[in-house]
Amino acid sequence: MHEAWSGRGGWSLTRDDDRLTLTVGDETEVFEGVDAGRLTVRRTWNGLALHVTGEHPRRLPGLTRTDADAIRAAVTRIVTRGALAAPLAQAVETHAALERLLARHVRAQRWVPYDTVAALLDSLPTRDDALAGVPADARTHLETHLSPGELRALAFLDGAPLARVGQANAEIMRRELAAGRSFFTRVEKAPLTLEQARAVVTLDNRVRVIAAAGSGKTSVMVARAAYAIRRGFVRPERILMLAFNSDAARELQERVDMRLAALGLPSEGVRASTFHAFGLALIGEATGRRPRIAPWIEAGTEVEKVQEIVDELRDSSLDFRFKWDLFRLLYGKVQPGGAEPDSHDSLTGVTGFETYRGETVRTEGERLVADWLFLHGVDYRYEAPYVHDLFDRDHERYRPTFHYPDADLWHEHWALRADGAAPPGVVGYRETMKWKRGIHRKHGTALVETAWHEIEDHSGFEALARSLEEHGIALDWNPDRPLPAAEPLEHERLAHLVRTFMTHVKSGALTPEDLEARAAAQPELDTPRTRLFLDLYWRIHERWQAALAEADAVDFDDMLLRAAELVEQEPSLARWDLVMVDEFQDTSRARARLTRALLVGDSKHLLAVGDDWQAINRFAGADLTVMTGFGDLFGPALTRRLQTTFRTTQTTADVASRFVSANPTQIAKGVRAFRGPGGAPVAIVRVPRHDALAGAVRTHLERLSEAGEAGTVDVLGRYGFDRKLVPARRFDGLDVRFRTIHRSKGLEADHVILPNVSSGRFGFPSTIPDDPVLRLAMSEDDGFRHSEERRLLYVALTRARRTVTLFTVAGRESPFVLELLEDADVELRSEDGQAVTEEVRVCPGCGEGTLVRREGRFGEFYGCSTFPRCTQTVKV
């Protein structure tokens, strides 16, 4: 295209396609591509002029408005095309290369993996990068400056590559499913479902399979190995399958060997292993010296080992002994923000906290003081009437917090924070303090004082001890003093807490500095209590490591991290092209690090199979975010879902799904029963008393036996001691077994019984509070109340092939039971198995307890079953 313009002074400008030629007298200058941007049209005092920027700027007057508009358009088009020339050329070239790559894969019917495409597109600019040099006014009207081919190339930069890959893979999937129909029918004993076959064919670099309970995830792993070998994509010796326990690993190995043999495929070299066995072998190969697992780890006596270390430290260090006993006896039950009341005194009407001596005090701080006094052998009276009767219109009879009769000494404990602030919501607290101090001055009675913040950080006890001794009260600290009432944090439970904390510290490779930083970031945990625990922990940790060195052994966490480090340092150790990991929701950070190390290099493929709904091992080191944040840790990934369950009825699947999905952070699934709709309702049997549970379970088993419901029965307890609710006798046609729910993972039975789904400290959900210090080392939970306990009940419900029956106690129904009773597919029954229509009234105060009829000083009333934690009452 040729155009020409001219102005006063004899200058002229011509355009030939994407070139502008400026002639001024005998001088000629050519502008091409982005260089044309040196030409602009500006208005001056005497009209429009062509301006030329550069080393020798010039102003060329005498332009008409029409010519000015035409020059502006020409410059914009030439600059736009010049700025886009290189990226569009690259886009055209890359587009052609991508199409050739996709065509090859479609012809070969081999999945196009993300990393292969990413390598091809690595240097390709984004659309925004390409447009960076384009004039702003041209970006919204590119169609006027670019040809259709250039616009297509620009669109390719705007996300079209991945869309094309998706189209190609969809075609590959269609062809593979059709061509491999016989294979997918025969690879397992039962034909694969469409969703299973799709997960098998999706041979991308990173694939996360969300597998509902009983959906055949093992079949997918076995079929994936067979598929990769059959199609020649991966050699058998380059396939690795990792499981979390030896039973699962053994089953995987047996299934792979058997199914590949049935198909006439080679299986020699396919390796199924636990993470632990694999890590040990890997270290042995890399270093020439296979490490030895510490004997106390292999024997499962880690907590006992911690106790042994604690005993040694207590014998050798008075400081450690005192701090250990201080934490265990006084601070073990202290919670950030305050614990919930656990006691009620019907004589005084006080609801609060039970002391070691047996009385109920009003606050957590008063309990700490009372227990400290008891352990020192001090005789005290709680809220004894003051020696002088003081009544007026504003005050009841004065009762100081403590009285020491042996010294006629009074003690007030103030609920003050470190900043001097009084308890929130309490009116006139400072005035009351002033009044009480004035009473003692007026009557000349001796008074000692403590404040909550001083007791919380245990600094106030030293001052209290001095004050008591100055008044002639002897202190005899005896941590082994028999306790008539409240239970302390036992040595074994504190040792278990230390071992759990250690597991997470080691798995996350956390240092003292890391934990200090985490505490500083969580003000509610940055407390003297936390610092006391960490002081104890690091001393135990040091002795633990010394014991490992002395035994020339390792523990599992150190071993996994060492294996990961070796692969990171020497990638050639990662000789597996297809890595499959089972139960991925239970992966720890150490396991995840080792898994990621195995994927370094070209043509690596990870298949991670798991179910976030069944994540129940957080305290054993599992980090659910490894699965839910899969792409953040491992890189861009595809997700496939297995939502057809071969185990449960649709009714049970629906009840369990609705229950676990009350937590909005769970990954959504639509679980379908392979056998179709229907199934018996989930039954809840309510008995009048706790001691009637065993009889009700026995009666239910008798009914199953008499009705000819032959099969297996799993009685699943929240705790091991629920075993006592299982009858010792045999029932015709039934194979009855007891397991804890945690031990039932991966198993199934025709009938499932949950013998004690009640409320209480050892209820379901468990109300034993998790020690807050664990939050320093553990992965964060999702913040939903009882989230892991909810998933635990989901696991229990989904073990059943035919029926599920839960047993609970009237007035002590679990909040989970109350929630389930709102489901139309759940039926409430009496001990004799008959449907009950009686309404269970949920407490309007807490929403977790039920209203129970009680007798009080003023007659009958309804109170919450969780009392004293909830004090809600309702009139009869």
Side-chain angles (χ1 to χ4, degrees):
M1 182 176 183
H2 179 82
E3 294 178 278
W5 306 277
S6 61
R8 291 196 303 271
W11 66 268
S12 65
L13 179 69
T14 59
R15 173 193 169 204
D16 293 287
D17 293 326
D18 289 340
R19 172 185 294 180
L20 290 170
T21 303
L22 176 64
T23 302
V24 182
D26 295 335
E27 297 180 5
T28 298
E29 190 171 358
V30 177
F31 303 87
E32 293 181 292
V34 294
D35 189 48
R38 291 171 53 206
L39 299 176
T40 59
V41 175
R42 301 179 190 172
R43 178 175 294 281
T44 64
W45 65 274
N46 63 345
L48 295 167
L50 178 67
H51 282 248
V52 185
T53 63
E55 186 177 354
H56 303 290
R58 283 165 287 173
R59 180 172 62 83
L60 306 174
L63 271 177
T64 66
R65 181 179 297 277
T66 300
D67 286 349
D69 290 342
I71 291 173
R72 286 194 185 102
V75 168
T76 299
R77 182 177 188 276
I78 293 169
V79 170
T80 298
R81 292 169 62 88
L84 290 174
L88 292 185
Q90 188 178 3
V92 170
E93 181 182 350
T94 304
H95 191 183
L98 178 64
E99 290 300 326
R100 291 192 297 271
L101 170 70
L102 299 182
R104 287 198 305 273
H105 275 262
V106 170
R107 284 195 302 273
Q109 292 181 205
R110 178 170 185 169
W111 190 269
V112 186
Y114 177 90
D115 287 355
T116 300
V117 177
L120 181 65
L121 305 178
D122 183 51
S123 60
L124 194 67
T126 65
R127 184 178 190 272
D128 289 343
D129 290 339
L131 292 176
V134 174
D137 58 344
R139 295 179 193 176
T140 54
H141 300 287
L142 290 170
E143 66 280 356
T144 64
H145 305 295
L146 300 179
S147 68
E150 289 170 327
L151 288 171
R152 285 194 297 272
L154 186 62
F156 180 75
L157 300 179
D158 197 20
L162 295 182
R164 278 292 298 123
V165 174
Q167 294 167 3
N169 278 332
E171 175 62 16
I172 292 167
M173 176 70 73
R174 185 190 67 77
R175 294 186 182 192
E176 281 292 84
L177 293 177
R181 184 175 292 112
S182 174
F183 168 78
F184 294 123
T185 300
R186 297 185 301 117
V187 64
E188 278 281 80
K189 290 183 178 179
L192 298 189
T193 64
L194 177 59
E195 60 187 10
Q196 287 176 320
R198 285 174 58 83
V200 169
V201 173
T202 307
L203 199 64
D204 216 309
N205 297 109
R206 290 160 296 274
V207 180
R208 179 182 65 166
V209 176
I210 308 294
S215 60
K217 60 184 177 63
T218 303
S219 292
V220 168
M221 296 177 71
V222 171
R224 168 70 75 103
Y227 172 76
I229 295 170
R230 171 179 172 268
R231 295 285 280 109
F233 297 152
V234 183
R235 299 199 305 272
E237 68 274 13
R238 299 186 72 85
I239 297 177
L240 174 65
M241 310 170 83
L242 294 171
F244 282 80
N245 59 61
S246 55
D247 289 341
R250 185 164 47 251
E251 180 190 359
L252 273 173
Q253 191 71 64
E254 291 173 353
R255 287 266 290 272
V256 165
D257 292 344
M258 179 177 63
R259 298 316 305 167
L260 266 63
L263 295 169
L265 296 173
S267 64
E268 186 177 355
V270 177
R271 182 176 182 182
S273 173
T274 64
F275 268 97
H276 293 152
F278 173 73
L280 289 169
L282 189 66
I283 295 172
E285 176 188 340
T287 66
R289 188 171 183 271
R290 182 186 175 102
R292 170 176 175 251
I293 295 296
W296 61 87
I297 300 292
E298 289 195 310
T301 57
E302 302 103 304
V303 174
E304 290 82 352
K305 184 64 177 179
V306 172
Q307 287 182 276
E308 177 187 321
I309 291 172
V310 167
D311 288 342
E312 293 171 358
L313 287 168
R314 291 178 83 231
D315 289 342
S316 61
S317 169
L318 290 176
D319 178 70
F320 182 91
R321 173 186 286 269
F322 173 72
K323 289 180 177 178
W324 176 266
D325 290 334
L326 183 68
F327 189 92
R328 183 179 70 84
L329 294 170
L330 293 183
Y331 292 95
K333 293 185 283 187
V334 175
Q335 300 289 314
E340 294 178 334
D342 58 18
S343 179
H344 177 76
D345 189 329
S346 59
L347 295 178
T348 64
V350 173
T351 296
F353 303 87
E354 186 182 28
T355 69
Y356 287 148
R357 201 170 71 173
E359 70 259 288
T360 301
V361 298
R362 298 178 188 276
T363 69
E364 199 171 14
E366 292 175 354
R367 173 165 65 183
L368 282 171
V369 174
D371 289 345
W372 182 88
L373 293 169
F374 177 82
L375 293 168
H376 279 87
V378 176
D379 184 23
Y380 68 88
R381 303 290 182 272
Y382 178 69
E383 291 194 343
Y386 186 56
V387 64
H388 300 287
D389 289 342
L390 299 172
F391 291 96
D392 58 37
R393 65 180 185 179
D394 297 322
H395 302 96
E396 298 178 350
R397 180 158 191 184
Y398 177 35
R399 296 174 179 272
T401 314
F402 299 102
H403 180 236
Y404 306 105
D406 293 345
D408 196 18
L409 177 66
W410 303 90
H411 177 176
E412 279 291 2
H413 177 74
W414 312 118
L416 297 178
R417 299 196 307 242
D419 59 3
V426 178
V427 179
Y429 193 81
R430 284 286 183 184
E431 289 75 10
T432 300
M433 291 173 62
K434 182 178 180 180
W435 178 80
K436 291 179 178 180
R437 286 167 174 161
I439 290 295
H440 290 282
R441 285 195 300 271
K442 178 180 179 181
H443 293 282
T445 48
L447 174 68
V448 296
E449 302 178 41
T450 53
W452 162 243
H453 68 91
E454 300 168 333
I455 296 304
E456 184 188 26
D457 70 10
H458 62 81
S459 65
F461 284 128
E462 185 176 344
L464 177 60
R466 285 197 304 268
S467 296
L468 295 179
E469 288 174 338
E470 288 172 358
H471 285 84
I473 297 176
L475 301 179
D476 177 22
W477 171 257
N478 181 5
D480 300 319
R481 194 180 301 277
L483 306 177
E487 296 181 358
L489 182 61
E490 303 92 342
H491 285 286
E492 183 179 0
R493 280 189 57 208
L494 183 49
H496 191 278
L497 170 63
V498 168
R499 177 57 184 143
T500 301
F501 192 82
M502 183 185 294
T503 295
H504 291 277
V505 167
K506 283 172 165 274
S507 181
L510 300 174
T511 65
E513 293 73 24
D514 293 330
L515 295 181
E516 288 175 12
R518 290 187 175 200
Q522 304 178 71
E524 72 279 9
L525 294 181
D526 193 13
T527 64
R529 180 187 189 272
T530 298
R531 289 190 286 276
L532 176 61
F533 177 83
L534 290 177
D535 181 19
L536 295 167
Y537 171 75
W538 286 115
R539 291 201 240 180
I540 297 168
H541 183 106
E542 184 179 345
R543 285 290 184 99
W544 176 281
Q545 295 302 106
L548 290 175
E550 184 179 347
D552 192 21
V554 296
D555 58 25
F556 286 131
D557 299 301
D558 287 345
M559 180 272 295
L560 289 172
L561 291 175
R562 177 60 177 151
E565 289 171 356
L566 288 169
V567 180
E568 289 165 353
Q569 295 163 7
E570 184 47 68
S572 64
L573 289 169
R575 58 181 180 276
W576 295 272
D577 296 329
L578 174 56
V579 177
M580 293 183 274
V581 183
D582 194 13
E583 301 288 2
F584 205 71
Q585 76 281 350
D586 290 331
T587 300
S588 66
R589 282 280 160 177
R591 289 186 175 99
R593 181 175 169 184
L594 176 56
T595 301
R596 187 170 57 181
L598 293 173
L599 302 177
V600 175
D602 297 330
S603 300
K604 300 287 187 176
H605 303 273
L606 170 64
L607 181 76
V609 186
D611 181 9
D612 65 306
W613 290 7
Q614 299 184 70
I616 60 173
N617 289 313
R618 180 167 173 255
F619 277 84
D623 186 345
L624 182 55
T625 62
V626 171
M627 183 169 191
T628 57
F630 186 79
D632 296 333
L633 194 59
F634 294 96
L638 286 177
T639 294
R640 291 284 184 254
R641 282 176 163 80
L642 303 181
Q643 301 181 119
T644 301
T645 177
F646 298 91
R647 181 185 301 152
T648 69
T649 65
Q650 187 63 53
T651 298
T652 299
D654 288 344
V655 170
S657 297
R658 287 191 289 262
F659 176 76
V660 78
S661 296
N663 181 349
T665 67
Q666 302 285 175
I667 299 173
K669 306 178 194 69
V671 183
R672 303 174 300 274
F674 182 75
R675 67 183 81 173
V682 171
I684 295 177
V685 176
R686 187 172 59 172
V687 301
R689 304 174 314 281
H690 186 273
D691 59 10
L693 286 171
V697 171
R698 182 181 63 251
T699 300
H700 178 68
L701 289 169
E702 289 171 347
R703 274 199 305 274
L704 285 177
S705 177
E706 292 166 0
E709 295 282 355
T712 55
V713 180
D714 273 1
V715 182
L716 303 180
R718 173 61 184 84
Y719 307 96
F721 54 70
D722 286 331
R723 181 186 298 274
K724 64 180 182 294
L725 300 175
V726 182
R729 54 164 285 201
R730 298 181 64 83
F731 299 86
D732 290 343
L734 300 179
D735 178 12
V736 183
R737 305 160 297 196
F738 175 83
R739 293 187 176 94
T740 63
I741 302 175
H742 281 95
R743 296 284 186 180
S744 73
K745 190 89 171 294
L747 304 175
E748 57 185 45
D750 293 305
H751 308 282
V752 164
I753 293 172
L754 279 72
N756 183 20
V757 190
S758 305
S759 61
R761 181 173 176 81
F762 290 99
F764 193 2
S766 170
T767 57
I768 301 172
D770 303 335
D771 196 288
V773 298
L774 289 172
R775 285 158 47 193
L776 290 179
M778 294 174 69
S779 61
E780 291 186 14
D781 65 12
D782 51 34
F784 193 76
R785 185 169 173 79
H786 299 314
S787 59
E788 184 143 338
E789 292 283 300
R790 180 177 293 272
R791 293 191 291 267
L792 191 62
L793 182 55
Y794 171 82
V795 168
L797 296 174
T798 54
R799 300 309 94 192
R801 287 190 288 262
R802 288 152 63 183
T803 69
V804 182
T805 308
L806 293 74
F807 290 80
T808 191
V809 180
R812 289 185 52 197
E813 294 92 343
S814 159
F816 287 168
V817 164
L818 301 180
E819 188 176 331
L820 286 169
L821 285 174
E822 297 178 0
D823 194 305
D825 288 325
V826 176
E827 183 177 274
L828 180 63
R829 296 177 183 171
S830 62
E831 291 180 79
D832 60 4
Q834 299 302 308
V836 175
T837 58
E838 176 186 353
E839 180 184 3
V840 178
R841 297 179 63 187
V842 179
C843 172
C846 66
E848 290 197 352
T850 58
L851 293 180
V852 181
R853 201 176 184 107
R854 292 198 174 106
E855 184 79 28
R857 285 183 293 176
F858 305 105
E860 291 188 331
F861 67 97
Y862 287 108
C864 182
S865 61
T866 68
F867 179 83
R869 182 159 54 89
C870 175
T871 57
Q872 178 74 37
T873 60
V874 176
K875 291 182 179 179
V876 172

